[in-house]
Amino acid sequence: RLLFAYEDHFAEARLWTVTPTGKFANADVRLVPKKEQGLMAYAYPQSLEPHAVGNLDARKKPYCWKRDGGTCCVVQTWPTPYNECWERSWKLRDENPNPEKFKQKAVEEFSQ
């Protein structure tokens, strides 16, 4: 999985976890800027089914957009605690240890 340490580096925001079918796993979650807050995403690129794009209003658009080439990206992301327990359970790395498993396209799209 990919991790973004949201913590207290950003202003309060709203999160919509959009799935590739256009449904929501989390809807309108409040992201509060504070220590030990993170966001996770899958380590492979995901695409939104074309018929689902029209059902998304502007609040959800930061997580879905049209890629060059015409397919629609969806970054399925969700909140997670980012603390000592997380660090004991996962190996945190700044460099990609396995490009076959952790797709560069997914990293780029999650970084947007």
Side-chain angles (χ1 to χ4, degrees), residues 4 6-14 30-34:
F4 174 71
Y6 185 84
E7 297 196 294
D8 58 356
H9 306 293
F10 300 90
E12 184 173 311
R14 308 305 284 192
R30 184 173 162 231
L31 296 176
V32 179
K34 66 179 185 177

Side-chain angles (χ1 to χ4, degrees), residues 24 69 85:
F24 305 105
C85 180

Side-chain angles (χ1 to χ4, degrees), residues 37-87:
Q37 293 280 36
L39 296 172
M40 289 188 82
Y42 291 112
Y44 52 88
Q46 292 184 290
S47 295
L48 185 65
E49 293 177 7
H51 72 275
V53 175
N55 298 332
L56 300 175
D57 65 39
R59 294 175 297 174
K60 292 101 174 173
K61 297 287 180 159
Y63 308 100
C64 308
W65 63 87
K66 193 165 251 182
R67 294 182 181 113
D68 293 338
T71 63
C72 296
C73 166
V74 61
V75 177
Q76 187 175 348
T77 185
W78 58 92
T80 186
Y82 173 56
N83 52 29
E84 288 180 26
C85 180
W86 189 96
E87 289 185 25

